[in-house]
Amino acid sequence: MNIETINNIIQPQKEALLSHSLYEKVKTMADLNSFLETHVYAVWDFMSLLKALQAQLTCTTTPWFATKNPETRYLINEIVLAEETDLTIDGRRQSHYEMYVEAMEACGANTSGMGSFLSEINSLQNIFVAIKQSDLHPNIKAFLDFTFRIIEQGKTHEIAAAFTFGREDVIPSMFTVILKNFQANFPKTDLNKLIYYFERHIELDADEHGPMAMKMITELCGTDATKWKDVEEVSILALEKRIGLWDAIEEKITANLELV
């Protein structure tokens, strides 16, 4: 098994995600804010996948020891550099999560839900309890729980699978669809920060991070058939959880329309 085989196997889930009916439902600023207020959870938990990989593939403790594979060490550090300290539209350094929150605020979206959730995690010191006790939609809970279960299990190739096939590989195509929607439905609205965030991700993930993440998977799995099978299973689940997240956002938008 190899990267090409995995891509062929997960193609039905990718197509379902890219043809999801959610995209055509985001027509008003209220719809857009509903999208942002839910999607932000995926933007945030991505950073935990990223840092879990960095912790496993590099040495982040003292005393320092060189990790086994310099290639995967390099790949993850390069990805972390941009994801955690990229340049904003006005030349400041921020993580992509912080950029997204600023873009939400510029659009008038409510960031208090995400902020309260982070405060609850900090207070409880247990991500799984925080997820369970939250009033988030069941699909958002399932999405977050999946991410942190993969991290907790600690198998590097599985974390890399969720990171690569559940996020980096599909994001350029997915965000391109979202951007086309913005251009069609919000031509006169100032969405500069939000558009910059999506365009930056499309550029980085398509040209740099996506190929790097694929190489990382290949390095981690090698010729181990069991690891490749794990990657296949995790990748399918990761995409299914994303589809579930899109279902939750669509449900929220539809419910808001029914209240009008």
Side-chain angles (χ1 to χ4, degrees):
M1 198 175 284
N2 55 30
I3 292 292
E4 185 178 355
T5 308
I6 297 293
N7 270 320
N8 288 335
I9 291 170
I10 66 175
Q11 193 59 31
Q13 286 78 21
K14 289 172 72 172
E15 288 177 1
L17 182 60
L18 295 175
S19 62
H20 199 287
S21 53
L22 165 67
Y23 304 115
E24 60 191 37
K25 298 284 176 66
V26 183
K27 296 178 179 178
T28 67
M29 283 305 295
D31 300 337
L32 177 60
N33 287 340
S34 289
F35 174 85
L36 299 177
E37 288 161 15
T38 303
H39 180 237
V40 67
Y41 290 91
V43 177
W44 170 74
D45 83 336
F46 168 85
M47 299 302 295
S48 291
L49 281 172
L50 176 73
K51 298 304 283 186
L53 279 173
Q54 187 182 37
Q56 296 219 12
L57 297 174
T58 73
C59 183
T60 57
T61 57
T62 57
W64 179 87
F65 293 96
T67 49
K68 187 188 299 184
N69 189 326
E71 187 65 24
T72 54
R73 193 192 311 160
Y74 159 74
L75 291 168
I76 194 61
N77 278 335
E78 277 291 304
I79 296 171
V80 167
L81 181 66
E83 295 288 351
E84 201 168 34
T85 54
D86 204 5
L87 282 172
T88 63
I89 193 170
D90 53 358
R92 294 171 293 126
R93 290 285 175 191
Q94 276 190 336
S95 69
H96 286 174
Y97 168 73
E98 291 165 310
M99 280 188 202
Y100 196 85
V101 171
E102 278 200 359
M104 287 178 68
E105 290 169 344
C107 292
N110 188 346
T111 61
S112 64
M114 186 75 237
S116 298
F117 181 65
L118 294 182
S119 296
E120 192 69 4
I121 296 169
N122 191 46
S123 173
L124 292 169
Q125 292 296 299
N126 187 311
I127 180 64
F128 299 106
V129 174
I131 293 168
K132 187 174 182 179
Q133 290 186 359
S134 74
D135 58 0
L136 295 170
H137 188 286
N139 289 14
I140 306 173
K141 290 185 178 185
F143 183 91
L144 293 169
D145 189 77
F146 170 78
T147 296
F148 288 97
R149 294 290 172 195
I150 292 293
I151 291 171
E152 185 184 47
Q153 289 164 15
K155 293 183 180 179
T156 312
H157 64 287
E158 291 186 348
I159 300 171
F163 178 84
T164 301
F165 292 105
R167 308 297 179 98
E168 297 288 64
D169 177 49
V170 76
I171 278 175
S173 299
M174 188 170 64
F175 281 8
T176 298
V177 175
I178 292 171
L179 270 181
K180 285 180 181 176
N181 174 283
F182 287 171
Q183 291 159 355
N185 290 320
F186 308 100
K188 297 179 180 179
T189 307
D190 183 3
L191 302 177
N192 287 346
K193 286 187 175 181
L194 189 62
I195 289 171
Y196 176 83
Y197 168 87
F198 283 113
E199 288 180 339
R200 185 67 177 138
H201 257 285
I202 292 167
E203 175 190 5
L204 278 175
D205 292 345
D207 298 339
E208 299 176 34
H209 293 180
M212 284 179 168
M214 293 293 182
K215 189 172 183 180
M216 185 164 56
I217 291 278
T218 302
E219 289 280 336
L220 291 171
C221 293
T223 58
D224 190 322
T226 301
K227 286 185 178 179
W228 280 109
K229 188 63 178 175
D230 290 342
V231 166
E232 175 193 329
E233 291 172 358
V234 168
S235 300
I236 289 171
L237 281 171
L239 290 168
E240 287 176 347
K241 296 301 180 187
R242 171 72 77 161
I243 292 167
L245 185 71
W246 268 198
D247 289 343
I249 300 174
E250 184 175 27
E251 186 181 311
K252 182 178 180 181
I253 290 172
T254 302
N256 289 342
L257 286 173
E258 289 172 353
L259 291 173
V260 175

